[in-house]
Amino acid sequence: MSELLNRMIASRLDDAAQMLRRQDADPVYVRAYAQAASSVRHWPISMAVMYKHRGVEGLEEVPGVGPGIARVIRELLTHHRLPLLASLFDTDGDSAVGRGSDQPSIEELLDVDREYREKAAAGELPLIAPERFNPTGDHWLPVLHTRRGARRYTALYSNTERAHRLGRSRDWVVLYVRDATGEHQYTVITSTHGVIRGHRVVAGHGRECRAVERRAA
């Protein structure tokens, strides 16, 4: 039932993205709704359950869903319709693509990755049952919610087809970061080549990670 409801909400968010695109809206808004739709579609917990227990703030735990889009989801849950077009532009920075320069440092990202893996290994994190690649419905995926200053992080192992195919589903860690500029996503992996082979690196930021390693040496 949760999967069906989330898919229905995701479909309406996709409708919102298409509506904004037809109105020649800023691509930032279109991208924000498309990203939120993807996250909601694959989120293992019903949006109705999250809203019932924690309100709009609970909906914001879904990666890509900020205050503005959370209110749109609330409208879908309570009135079963999208709000007026003008309300769709109030995303409160839900999309961080190409916005802001105050990005978290590589050291901070690696520190959150360390915290997640240590707590996951110690059995200290709550477990969720992902819908994808989980035919038995087991609760196996640890989830961390943490902060670094004003930034809020959600960390979890990558549950993608590629991660499973390459045997990296217990190595690749996806970090969702929310700050004043919006939502950001990073993936931390164990390097398999080069001078930092065997070290944790932020995908796409190998040069910065090497600089971190040199400073720590």
Side-chain angles (χ1 to χ4, degrees):
M1 192 67 181
S2 65
E3 179 180 356
L4 178 60
L5 176 63
N6 286 0
R7 286 182 176 177
M8 290 173 61
I9 292 174
S11 177
R12 298 311 306 277
L13 294 177
D14 280 330
D15 290 344
Q18 293 299 326
M19 186 187 310
L20 291 168
R21 185 177 289 111
R22 289 195 296 272
Q23 295 292 325
D24 294 323
D26 190 319
V28 165
Y29 296 107
V30 177
R31 191 158 50 242
Y33 278 92
Q35 290 175 345
S38 178
S39 293
V40 169
R41 184 173 289 110
H42 299 109
W43 195 249
I45 304 172
S46 167
M47 295 296 103
V49 171
M50 297 181 71
Y51 178 67
K52 177 180 179 181
H53 290 286
R54 297 198 57 203
V56 170
E57 184 177 353
L59 298 175
E60 291 177 43
E61 292 185 3
V62 180
V65 175
I69 292 181
R71 290 193 291 271
V72 171
I73 295 176
R74 177 185 62 188
E75 186 78 6
L76 290 169
L77 288 170
T78 56
H79 298 293
H80 312 291
R81 64 172 184 263
L82 284 169
L84 297 175
L85 178 65
S87 298
L88 299 181
F89 289 88
D90 179 23
T91 58
D92 294 316
D94 287 317
S95 175
V97 178
R99 301 178 65 186
S101 58
D102 185 23
Q103 302 297 313
S105 67
I106 296 299
E107 289 92 340
E108 181 173 298
L109 295 172
L110 294 177
D111 187 59
V112 175
D113 169 68
R114 174 201 56 76
E115 179 184 353
Y116 173 72
R117 290 184 298 115
E118 288 182 355
K119 289 184 175 180
E124 298 175 357
L125 298 177
L127 304 177
I128 64 173
E131 294 179 358
R132 303 181 67 201
F133 310 111
N134 187 25
T136 58
D138 293 339
H139 289 70
W140 68 267
L141 184 59
V143 178
L144 169 72
H145 298 295
T146 189
R147 285 179 178 269
R148 294 295 186 276
R151 295 187 183 90
R152 294 188 295 168
Y153 283 86
T154 296
L156 65 166
Y157 285 123
S158 176
N159 189 41
T160 63
E161 184 276 335
R162 186 163 182 259
H164 285 279
R165 174 164 48 84
L166 297 177
R168 295 291 187 268
S169 60
R170 290 285 186 171
D171 181 88
W172 295 356
V173 174
V174 181
L175 306 179
Y176 298 98
V177 191
R178 180 172 297 284
D179 59 21
T181 66
E183 183 84 26
H184 312 265
Q185 179 178 334
Y186 303 89
T187 302
V188 183
I189 66 175
T190 301
S191 178
T192 58
H193 61 278
V195 296
I196 52 175
R197 179 176 182 176
H199 292 267
R200 298 295 286 177
V201 298
V202 181
H205 297 268
R207 181 175 300 176
E208 296 97 318
C209 291
R210 286 194 292 273
V212 170
E213 289 292 328
R214 286 195 297 268
R215 288 196 297 269

